[in-house]
């Protein structure tokens, strides 16, 4: 008992002198672990929708026919955020593009880098610093055949004891030549948060 009192007194004395402080500790976590910090759209939701949509697209019989003898060229439009939250939809777009490219069934044009490409081609053509016989000429790039695009929407309900959020993620693949939608799918997520009453 005296040891406990002594240790407590010692810690109080050190704290008074500023020696006992709270310390933040940084640790690596599992990037694929379920994240439940709150009910807002999070990393687990991003991984879920990107994975489900990519799998659905790759397993579609229509896409199987489109990719049977060739690798169609696609551009992925940025996902439209129709929720009331600030969501980094570019991360969803990037995850889907990466998974599709890894499949080996598609090739991509990156519309987000058009301005940078134009700047580089102009530099090669008109700066006088690049051998013109080795410079890449304008008008040689390949255009996309298909456009992949989608929307993320949500419905939020809450009262004093419970909050509920429903997300719906929809994607479509359009043939740019015909304007026909060749594939479409959607996935849903529902998350709830409620007060738990603990009895003593």
């Amino acid at each position: 008992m005296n040891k406990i009192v002594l240790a407590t007194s010692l810690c109080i004395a050190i704290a008074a002198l500023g020696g006992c402080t709270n310390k933040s500790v940084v640790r690596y976590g599992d990037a694929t672990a379920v994240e439940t910090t709150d009910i807002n759209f999070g990393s687990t939701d991003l991984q879920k929708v990107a994975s489900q949509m990519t799998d659905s697209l790759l397993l579609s019989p229509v896409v199987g026919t489109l990719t049977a003898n060739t690798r169609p060229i696609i551009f992925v439009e940025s996902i439209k955020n129709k929720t009331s939250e600030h969501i980094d939809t570019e991360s969803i777009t990037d995850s889907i593009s990466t998974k599709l490219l890894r499949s080996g069934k598609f090739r991509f044009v990156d519309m987000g880098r058009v301005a940078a490409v134009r700047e580089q081609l102009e530099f090669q053509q008109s700066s006088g610093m690049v051998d013109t016989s080795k410079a890449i000429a304008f008008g040689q790039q390949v255009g996309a055949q298909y456009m992949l695009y989608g929307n993320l929407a949500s419905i939020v309900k809450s009262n004093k004891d419970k909050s509920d959020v429903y997300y719906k993620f929809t994607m479509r693949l359009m043939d740019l030549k015909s304007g026909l939608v060749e594939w479409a799918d959607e996935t849903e997520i529902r998350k709830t948060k409620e007060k738990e009453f603990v009895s003593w």
Side-chain angles (χ1 to χ4, degrees):
M1 184 69 176
N2 287 338
K3 289 181 180 178
I4 294 173
V5 172
L6 181 62
T8 303
S9 300
L10 183 60
C11 191
I12 291 170
I14 293 172
L17 296 172
C20 282
T21 59
N22 288 332
K23 185 171 93 171
S24 296
V25 179
V26 177
R27 295 185 179 88
Y28 281 99
D30 180 2
T32 61
V34 175
E35 178 237 338
T36 56
T37 306
D38 56 38
I39 62 171
N40 294 329
F41 195 88
S43 61
T44 301
D45 306 314
L46 187 154
Q47 292 164 356
K48 181 179 188 291
V49 298
S51 178
Q52 287 184 351
M53 284 301 179
T54 306
D55 291 346
S56 174
L57 179 60
L58 292 174
L59 294 173
S60 164
V62 173
V63 171
T65 302
L66 294 177
T67 60
N69 300 310
T70 185
R71 292 174 65 205
I73 302 167
I74 291 182
F75 90 88
V76 183
E77 186 184 43
S78 293
I79 304 301
K80 298 286 187 293
N81 179 9
K82 295 187 173 183
T83 73
S84 57
E85 297 176 47
H86 172 72
I87 296 174
D88 181 10
T89 53
E90 188 175 347
S91 292
I92 303 173
T93 306
D94 289 344
S95 292
I96 290 171
S97 300
T98 301
K99 288 174 185 291
L100 290 176
L101 194 57
R102 281 181 185 167
S103 75
K105 293 189 175 185
F106 296 98
R107 292 176 293 166
F108 287 84
V109 290
D110 191 344
M111 296 306 294
R113 297 293 175 263
V114 169
V117 171
R118 183 183 293 115
E119 185 179 334
Q120 175 56 212
L121 293 181
E122 286 173 354
F123 169 78
Q124 291 187 25
Q125 291 294 321
S126 59
S127 70
M129 299 178 70
V130 177
D131 182 343
T132 53
S133 67
K134 296 179 181 177
I136 298 172
F138 282 99
Q140 297 190 69
Q141 293 191 15
V142 178
Q145 299 163 284
Y146 297 91
M147 177 173 74
L148 186 64
Y149 59 100
N151 299 312
L152 178 64
S154 69
I155 299 172
V156 180
K157 301 278 186 177
S158 62
N159 58 34
K160 63 177 184 175
D161 297 323
K162 186 175 181 179
S163 297
D164 179 279
V165 60
Y166 164 82
Y167 295 102
K168 184 170 79 167
F169 183 54
T170 306
M171 288 207 82
R172 292 181 172 88
L173 180 70
M174 177 190 287
D175 183 327
L176 290 176
K177 184 176 181 180
S178 67
L180 295 174
V181 174
E182 298 287 357
W183 167 89
D185 202 356
E186 62 185 28
T187 186
E188 301 165 306
I189 296 171
R190 167 160 264 123
K191 299 167 84 172
T192 59
K193 179 176 74 174
E194 52 190 316
K195 292 180 181 177
E196 292 186 357
F197 297 96
V198 180
S199 58
W200 299 94

